[in-house]
Amino acid sequence: SLLSAIKSGKYSEASKFLDMEAMAKWYLVEELAMNTDSQLHCSCYMYKDAGGKLKMGPVWDFDLGFGNGKYANEKHVGKNYLDGGRWFADLISMPEFRDIVKSVWKKSKANIDKLPSFVDRTAKLINKAQSVNYELWDITQQAEHTYKRTTEEMGSFKEQVSYLRNFVSERIKHIDSKLTNW
């Protein structure tokens, strides 16, 4: 079974069931975002083409990602998030899987490094709409499982954008360091 193959710690067994490159891509997106819904307990999808291997995806449900989660925010930005979770501890114990993760990161690094500036460009693009959004909706209120600072204490779009940009920048640095030490 898939679970037995992953638990075996043997790449040759696990890769019979899982598309490891797709898993590596999914892992990196979710780890970068520190998405609290990515621990395979909810909001995670897989699919399998006829005759193919299981693939993770699509990625979605990031309301508790990018520093907005009660237990995954700026206080945790320098920590690994998925590595102790279901499947991931076993997957990252496999040198072959770690090599794929590092390869995917390296291939994507030029685009990943553009994420903080993407946050700024997008903020400018939606600036008029966000001001109306703040007028129409009480968006600085308590929400389940969220980080109080991002949902209740930050009262401006500018603060939110700065927080997101800094969070993403710090996560990139963390993953760079993490993969260097693998």
Side-chain angles (χ1 to χ4, degrees):
S1 76
L2 170 61
L3 187 55
S4 298
I6 292 170
K7 289 284 177 202
S8 76
K10 295 178 185 171
Y11 180 84
S12 60
E13 291 301 311
S15 64
K16 289 178 185 175
F17 296 93
L18 281 175
D19 178 318
M20 291 300 198
E21 185 165 345
M23 176 58 94
K25 289 175 181 178
W26 187 90
Y27 167 85
L28 283 168
V29 168
E30 300 290 346
E31 182 72 9
L32 177 66
M34 284 187 91
N35 184 8
T36 63
D37 288 328
S38 62
Q39 291 271 353
L40 299 179
H41 64 276
C42 67
S43 294
C44 297
Y45 286 98
M46 295 181 172
Y47 67 95
K48 182 180 178 222
D49 294 326
K53 296 179 183 183
L54 255 134
K55 295 182 181 187
M56 295 299 296
V59 296
W60 78 295
D61 195 6
F62 287 85
D63 63 320
L64 297 176
F66 293 101
N68 198 40
K70 189 174 187 177
Y71 305 107
N73 54 61
E74 65 190 343
K75 296 176 184 177
H76 313 99
V77 74
K79 297 180 180 179
N80 296 333
Y81 188 70
L82 288 173
D83 296 4
R86 246 178 246 151
W87 294 12
F88 300 107
D90 295 312
L91 286 170
I92 66 168
S93 74
M94 301 173 193
E96 301 91 341
F97 182 71
R98 288 194 313 269
D99 288 345
I100 293 169
V101 170
K102 287 189 281 190
S103 174
V104 167
W105 184 258
K106 185 178 178 180
K107 285 181 207 169
S108 305
K109 190 69 165 80
N111 287 326
I112 291 166
D113 285 340
K114 294 176 185 175
L115 287 174
S117 63
F118 174 78
V119 169
D120 290 331
R121 283 192 322 276
T122 303
K124 286 178 185 173
L125 183 68
I126 65 171
N127 191 48
K128 285 184 182 179
Q130 69 77 24
S131 66
V132 173
N133 191 56
Y134 268 88
E135 289 172 20
L136 291 174
W137 307 104
D138 181 15
I139 62 172
T140 54
Q141 60 185 336
Q142 185 178 8
E144 189 176 21
H145 306 297
T146 58
Y147 181 41
K148 185 176 180 177
R149 181 163 176 252
T150 59
T151 56
E152 297 175 56
E153 296 171 4
M154 287 185 198
S156 75
F157 182 66
K158 185 177 178 181
E159 286 177 277
Q160 291 282 345
V161 170
S162 178
Y163 178 85
L164 178 59
R165 179 189 341 94
N166 293 337
F167 183 86
V168 169
S169 295
E170 291 303 312
R171 285 306 288 166
I172 292 169
K173 288 178 195 172
H174 172 72
I175 294 174
D176 279 338
S177 174
K178 167 184 173 168
L179 298 184
T180 298
N181 294 317
W182 266 7

